[in-house]
Amino acid sequence: MAKELTGERLEQELARLDRMLEFERQYRWASGICGIDEAGRGPLAGPVVAGAVILPKDCKILYLNDSKKLSEKRREELFLEIQDKAVSYGVGIVSPGQIDAINILQATYEAMRQAVGKLDRVPEVLLNDAVEIPGLSMKQVKIIHGDGKSLSIAAASVLAKVTRDHMMADYDVIYPEYGFAKHKGYGTKDHIQAIKDHGPCPIHRKTFIKKFVTEEKEYKE
């Protein structure tokens, strides 16, 4: 990817990445700084997924940004590069059934705890996108819109988003009538209509779709 940028454009990109290391530099005394973010809080179907990423100090990965600002192709490229360059990374996944049981906020916290637990080293500082995670003892820094301000959080954002997108593409093969590969479980017009036409399937979040499900529609097995 580095060959795509030269001269002034490359300098601008490196300057942008340098700005996204502000929080990492602020806590550079820490033996490990971990960015944490999630994907899938809002959809009507599928899991919530969290990513946790420890990057090498002063690591700059070209084009890395908030996953929502990147094309699918770019996310897929960065997904591989992040895994290759990270000191350590982990992914946490909480199912739709558990989301219904404990609510989406608690499910998000659980996915984040899982992701941190899968790291092969314990970080001293967590840079979190807009949340403070209960049940973790290390220092946590809550950064609003952190996926656009911290390179570590941006890396976690890409890891979580691409992992979840891959899962939804797999679910699309099992339940093709819902179009999961296209909308990833979000409440698009076509998705809502599919729920009304076919009823919900096992990966729908029952607490999210109550208003779209008629009494005569039963859950698929």
Side-chain angles (χ1 to χ4, degrees):
M1 289 192 296
K3 292 181 180 179
E4 296 180 23
L5 290 179
T6 58
E8 185 177 351
R9 291 182 62 195
L10 178 58
E11 289 180 9
Q12 291 173 347
E13 174 63 4
L14 291 174
R16 183 188 69 82
L17 294 173
D18 191 63
R19 290 192 295 272
M20 289 186 70
L21 287 170
E22 174 188 353
F23 291 96
E24 284 81 353
R25 281 193 294 268
Q26 186 176 343
Y27 296 98
R28 66 182 304 119
W29 51 263
S31 62
I33 300 171
C34 177
I36 300 177
D37 200 6
E38 55 72 32
R41 285 185 68 168
L44 307 180
V48 62
V49 177
V53 179
I54 302 174
L55 293 174
K57 288 188 177 180
D58 300 314
C59 176
K60 294 181 180 179
I61 298 176
L62 291 179
Y63 307 108
L64 182 54
N65 205 341
D66 173 2
S67 64
K68 297 183 291 296
K69 297 180 180 179
L70 302 169
S71 67
E72 182 178 357
K73 180 176 184 294
R74 185 71 76 193
R75 285 195 301 266
E76 292 286 347
E77 293 170 346
L78 289 168
F79 179 71
L80 298 176
E81 189 172 0
I82 289 164
Q83 293 176 79
D84 180 59
K85 292 184 176 179
V87 172
S88 184
Y89 64 89
V91 174
I93 300 170
V94 173
S95 71
Q98 194 169 357
I99 292 170
D100 287 331
I102 64 176
N103 78 47
I104 186 59
L105 179 59
Q106 295 306 317
T108 300
Y109 291 151
E110 175 58 24
M112 290 176 169
R113 287 190 291 265
Q114 287 181 21
V116 172
K118 290 179 180 177
L119 297 168
D120 59 20
R121 60 181 292 183
V122 179
E124 281 193 82
V125 174
L126 304 181
L127 302 181
N128 304 341
D129 185 29
V131 299
E132 186 167 340
I133 308 161
L136 295 178
S137 60
M138 57 281 288
K139 179 177 179 60
Q140 299 187 50
V141 182
K142 176 181 174 181
I143 305 171
I144 304 301
H145 302 305
D147 44 10
K149 297 176 181 178
S150 159
L151 218 59
S152 301
I153 297 177
S157 147
V158 170
L159 194 66
K161 169 67 174 167
V162 176
T163 298
R164 188 179 187 281
D165 284 357
H166 289 174
M167 293 180 70
M168 296 309 293
D170 290 341
Y171 283 127
D172 185 70
V173 176
I174 303 171
Y175 308 110
E177 62 269 34
Y178 297 98
F180 290 134
K182 182 178 180 181
H183 53 64
K184 308 301 188 293
Y186 283 86
T188 64
K189 181 179 178 180
D190 288 346
H191 184 195
I192 292 170
Q193 189 60 51
I195 295 171
K196 291 178 179 179
D197 291 343
H198 304 290
C201 76
I203 70 161
H204 279 107
R205 303 172 182 178
K206 295 180 182 181
T207 52
F208 280 50
I209 63 169
K210 290 179 179 179
K211 63 182 179 181
F212 306 125
V213 181
T214 58
E215 291 184 4
E216 65 270 17
K217 293 290 185 181
E218 297 181 354
Y219 279 80
K220 299 175 182 288
E221 296 298 331

